[in-house]
Amino acid sequence: MNAETAVDEQREEIANRLGEPDQLQFPDGWTTSSSWRRAQAARSTIGAVNPAEFDVLLGREDDETALSRHRVLFAVYEGDLVAECDCDGYRFRGWCAHVALLWWHWSRDDLGVTDLDTGRTHLSPPWWLTVDDVEHDRVDAETSQPVAADGGVDR
């Protein structure tokens, strides 16, 4: 099976689902959440299953020997980043360490995510992709004064 056929099959499978896949949205305080901390601290392995899904093996911060496996949809579909995980955390909260792990790796140029519309693989989030609340927690940390782009000439 060539890559283009696999992408087409995944796109068709998503299009034929009952209901659309969830567009990824970050919850309030996501950068201080236990899911985000676990995604960065626990032992993990990520493996692509097909162009739209990953198997995520993720441990616990306090128990490095036990790894649990979850299947995660994580792809660009109709211009949005869609994400769904089969774990209880995602089902009840719409956010989990497995999705957080994929975002963490992708935002650090360490994961290839497929655009199911074009077949292109993005090695980091493309400039045109917007995800609600991804920058929400940075707003308070940013300065209120605008930065001058004068090269330091007119200070």
Side-chain angles (χ1 to χ4, degrees):
M1 174 186 307
N2 66 35
E4 185 173 275
T5 303
V7 169
D8 292 339
E9 285 179 10
Q10 289 305 306
R11 179 163 176 60
E12 185 175 329
E13 185 176 311
I14 290 173
N16 290 332
R17 293 171 60 166
L18 290 175
E20 292 286 316
D22 293 339
Q23 179 182 353
L24 179 61
Q25 293 184 329
F26 292 88
D28 288 340
W30 67 277
T31 58
T32 59
S33 70
S34 59
S35 294
W36 185 242
R37 282 192 314 272
R38 181 178 171 205
Q40 295 175 66
R43 188 173 69 136
S44 64
T45 302
I46 300 168
V49 176
N50 57 52
E53 295 176 310
F54 295 88
D55 273 345
V56 174
L57 292 153
L58 185 61
R60 297 249 173 232
E61 293 175 74
D62 56 351
D63 182 4
E64 287 296 316
T65 61
L67 291 174
S68 62
R69 183 192 66 80
H70 290 281
R71 178 75 42 99
V72 183
L73 167 68
F74 199 82
V76 176
Y77 176 72
E78 296 185 347
D80 294 321
L81 178 61
V82 294
E84 290 179 349
C85 183
D86 64 6
C87 76
D88 288 340
Y90 189 85
R91 187 173 51 178
F92 293 116
R93 293 187 312 269
W95 175 248
C96 66
H98 311 102
V99 170
L101 178 70
L102 293 176
W103 174 261
W104 186 57
H105 279 274
W106 194 35
S107 65
R108 284 160 181 72
D109 306 329
D110 193 29
L111 184 72
V113 175
T114 304
D115 185 327
L116 297 177
D117 301 315
T118 65
R120 181 175 178 210
T121 299
H122 298 281
L123 301 178
S124 63
W127 65 269
W128 48 263
L129 182 74
T130 59
V131 179
D132 288 348
D133 297 331
V134 73
E135 299 293 326
H136 175 71
D137 288 337
R138 277 185 21 151
V139 173
D140 292 336
E142 291 182 2
T143 61
S144 59
Q145 291 189 335
V147 176
D150 62 6
V153 175
D154 297 317
R155 289 188 186 217

